[in-house]
Amino acid sequence: MTAENPEFESDCIRRILAGERELFHDLIRPCERSIFFLLMSLLRNETEAEEAAQDTAVKVYLNLKNFRGDSQFRTWVLSIARNEGLSRLRKAGTRREDSLEAETDEQSGDYTPAILTSWREIPSETLEREELGTILRKAIYGLPVIYRNVVLLRDIEEMDVRETAAALGITEGSVKVRLHRARGLLQRDLAPQLKEFAPQRKSRFGWFKP
Amino acid sequence: MRIDCKHVWQFISAYIDGEVDAVLRAEIDRHLETCEICSAVLDSTRNVVVLVADQRVFELPAGFSERLHARLDREMELAGP
């Protein structure tokens, strides 16, 4: 992910609108990943998410003159992506699993995690194993959509709470509550499966503490 | 104030993000020193967060970017200057 650079963006937008349209490629490039994975989160189909990502980029280009600069460029782009995804879901007649527009979340963070008495860290080299990636993707795409969106933007695209809230049209409080629940659900689902990937060495205490 | 396991679980996500205040953080840290279960829950949750953030887990489809920019070139051509 590329860090946003508002000066580069506003300069770029001014020049594109003045006719240097080729610059649009550089403007949209840092947003590509986030656009695609937000749409994957909504549509859960790679081909459709790619089509929707292309349509989003085209809409961003055609509507560039309407960008007011009162939000970050990427936030604006992601709200266009989100509308594109929702409109595709509506067209497909997909019944929404739950309300994406829910403004408030019950402020309770209660959940019961997977209870482990031993845990060893999974080294990141283990990700070279395709099987682990598959398990992680399956767990995330298996989350209810309102949690999936937040995990994708916060933990995978590493957007901050404010930007995530703006892109999804929810409050910052909802982002935090949903992220907490999402991580809890992922821990409960994944921790028992991931133990198999931990190194086999025996620790005297039987668990790893960083 | 002594906090119990359930209380710790409620703040796991905020704790990982460094969003709990100093007093609560100290309470949680004290609990973690003696509670093997909560330590394992915290470590496993943190590990899950680290693993899902790895770019290798969520990769763009091969050729995604090339196709996107080719489509943009076509659309820019159609839209005109």
Side-chain angles (χ1 to χ4, degrees):
Chain A
M1 191 191 73
T2 312
E4 310 77 41
N5 182 340
E7 279 172 34
F8 164 79
E9 285 166 358
S10 57
D11 180 52
C12 219
I13 292 168
R14 202 169 39 244
R15 289 168 61 188
I16 294 164
L17 293 175
E20 291 182 68
R21 63 185 189 195
E22 283 302 310
L23 282 175
F24 185 72
H25 292 289
D26 299 330
L27 179 68
I28 201 74
R29 203 166 270 121
C31 304
E32 278 172 28
R33 251 191 75 94
S34 307
I35 296 173
F36 177 77
F37 285 112
L38 176 59
L39 286 161
M40 261 307 273
S41 169
L42 288 167
L43 303 169
R44 285 192 288 190
N45 175 300
E46 207 168 275
T47 310
E48 208 186 338
E50 178 164 344
E51 266 179 34
Q54 290 187 5
D55 288 353
T56 299
V58 171
K59 282 180 184 165
V60 170
Y61 176 70
L62 296 175
N63 290 290
L64 200 56
K65 59 180 180 306
N66 299 324
F67 174 61
R68 293 279 164 254
D70 46 11
S71 64
Q72 286 184 41
F73 177 68
R74 185 169 62 165
T75 309
W76 181 67
V77 169
L78 289 179
S79 61
I80 294 174
R82 178 168 154 268
N83 285 335
E84 178 65 28
L86 292 178
S87 114
R88 281 170 178 259
L89 286 178
R90 273 193 297 271
K91 267 184 218 151
T94 313
R95 191 180 67 81
R96 294 207 336 235
E97 300 159 48
D98 29 27
S99 171
L100 285 159
E101 271 83 25
E103 271 303 311
T104 53
D105 284 87
E106 189 195 328
Q107 292 296 309
S108 131
D110 265 6
Y111 84 98
T112 309
I115 304 294
L116 313 157
T117 50
S118 73
W119 174 262
R120 276 193 297 276
E121 189 181 23
I122 314 296
S124 100
E125 303 89 78
T126 318
L127 277 166
E128 299 297 342
R129 291 168 61 178
E130 185 47 36
E131 195 189 346
L132 178 57
T134 306
I135 289 174
L136 293 168
R137 283 187 293 273
K138 192 174 164 213
I140 288 166
Y141 289 129
L143 289 172
V145 66
I146 59 168
Y147 299 145
R148 201 159 67 219
N149 287 342
V150 172
V151 169
L152 255 298
L153 296 186
R154 281 283 288 129
D155 282 346
I156 295 161
E157 289 306 296
E158 297 175 344
M159 287 169 45
D160 64 25
V161 173
R162 215 172 124 189
E163 199 187 355
T164 304
L168 296 177
I170 59 178
T171 64
E172 292 182 26
S174 291
V175 170
K176 289 180 187 175
V177 171
R178 291 179 192 188
L179 185 64
H180 174 70
R181 292 197 185 142
R183 286 170 172 174
L185 290 168
L186 289 175
Q187 189 271 354
R188 201 159 60 187
D189 180 7
L190 287 169
Q193 300 185 67
L194 293 180
K195 283 186 87 174
E196 289 172 27
F197 290 88
Q200 288 306 300
R201 72 186 160 76
K202 283 265 182 253
S203 143
R204 189 158 62 90
F205 299 104
W207 53 285
F208 177 89
K209 193 166 173 13
Chain B
M1 178 179 81
R2 286 208 61 83
I3 54 177
D4 61 13
C5 297
K6 275 203 139 179
H7 199 82
V8 170
W9 299 341
Q10 269 181 40
F11 292 100
I12 288 272
S13 184
Y15 180 93
I16 289 173
D17 289 339
E19 284 175 355
V20 294
D21 63 44
V23 176
L24 181 57
R25 173 163 291 268
E27 284 295 333
I28 293 174
D29 286 341
R30 201 181 321 157
H31 179 93
L32 291 171
E33 276 169 24
T34 54
C35 180
E36 200 177 336
I37 288 174
C38 286
S39 290
V41 169
L42 173 67
D43 290 343
S44 59
T45 307
R46 188 187 275 139
N47 201 208
V48 163
V49 172
V50 170
L51 287 174
V52 299
D54 193 294
Q55 302 263 319
R56 284 167 294 182
V57 177
F58 287 92
E59 284 179 331
L60 285 169
F64 170 86
S65 198
E66 290 76 5
R67 290 189 293 275
L68 175 72
H69 290 278
R71 164 90 188 272
L72 282 171
D73 278 330
R74 290 196 300 276
E75 297 283 348
M76 285 176 190
E77 206 55 53
L78 282 175

